[in-house]
Amino acid sequence: MFDVGFWELILIAIMGLVILGPERLPVAIRTLRGWISGARKFSDTVKSELTEELRIHELHANLKKAEESNLENLSPEVAASLKSLQEAADSVAEPFKKVDRQPLESMIASSLASAPQAKVEPEMVQDSEEPKISSAPIENVKKPDKLVNPESDKLQP
């Protein structure tokens, strides 16, 4: 892309040192390096996404060819595309396969059978009533012999 040789890089480094100075040159180099690495990551991401989109488009075209020929006498590339689509569909459906629950259900049934049975007697079950609060005056409450004065923290008779 750019035809930059060793001497051109040395000239750019000397000009950067003169223009920016020794304090700001390392910061400028780090910033430039960050921009370049960001641009590379972005271009790699775009490249991989385009490659994947082209692959998906090719698989769809091959699937259409296979459907038109009623899945008979397929060319090797169409058969390979059909196989990869089938594997992708199987990998998506794999987590949703029905789990064999028979061992779990037999374990639960055996643990319930061995657990003691709780019996509920009719006398134990009562209608829910609200508790009654007595409205009698509080006269029989024992008063303390000595009181504490909060200001002096001393006992008073």
Side-chain angles (χ1 to χ4, degrees):
M1 191 157 122
F2 296 108
D3 191 22
V4 179
F6 176 74
W7 293 109
E8 287 88 1
L9 290 175
I10 295 294
L11 181 63
I12 292 171
I14 292 172
M15 287 175 51
L17 184 61
V18 169
I19 294 171
L20 295 175
E23 293 89 22
R24 293 186 292 180
L25 184 63
V27 175
I29 291 173
R30 277 188 232 116
T31 304
L32 185 64
R33 186 177 63 197
W35 289 349
I36 291 172
S37 66
R40 283 184 183 169
K41 287 178 185 177
F42 177 73
S43 67
D44 289 342
T45 303
V46 169
K47 181 180 175 183
S48 66
E49 286 180 6
L50 284 175
T51 303
E52 189 64 25
E53 286 295 323
L54 288 173
R55 181 177 164 273
I56 289 171
H57 181 69
E58 180 183 350
L59 287 174
H60 280 287
N62 288 341
L63 182 62
K64 215 174 230 188
K65 287 179 188 176
E67 287 176 353
E68 288 174 359
S69 65
N70 293 326
L71 302 175
E72 296 173 359
N73 300 329
L74 301 176
S75 65
E77 65 181 22
V78 174
S81 296
L82 193 60
K83 183 180 177 183
S84 67
L85 283 173
Q86 184 63 37
E87 289 172 355
D90 290 342
S91 69
V92 169
E94 183 71 29
F96 301 108
K97 285 185 177 177
K98 186 173 181 180
V99 178
D100 184 20
R101 297 180 57 146
Q102 179 61 29
L104 178 64
E105 290 173 358
S106 65
M107 184 179 75
I108 291 172
S110 65
S111 65
L112 289 177
S114 66
Q117 298 294 324
K119 294 182 180 178
V120 178
E121 296 180 13
E123 298 89 34
M124 296 177 67
V125 179
Q126 298 176 354
D127 293 334
S128 61
E129 295 179 7
E130 294 185 24
K132 295 179 181 177
I133 300 174
S134 174
S135 60
I138 305 175
E139 294 175 356
N140 297 332
V141 176
K142 184 178 178 185
K143 296 180 182 178
D145 294 334
K146 297 179 181 179
L147 298 174
V148 177
N149 186 355
E151 296 171 0
S152 66
D153 289 336
K154 293 182 181 178
L155 292 176
Q156 296 176 348

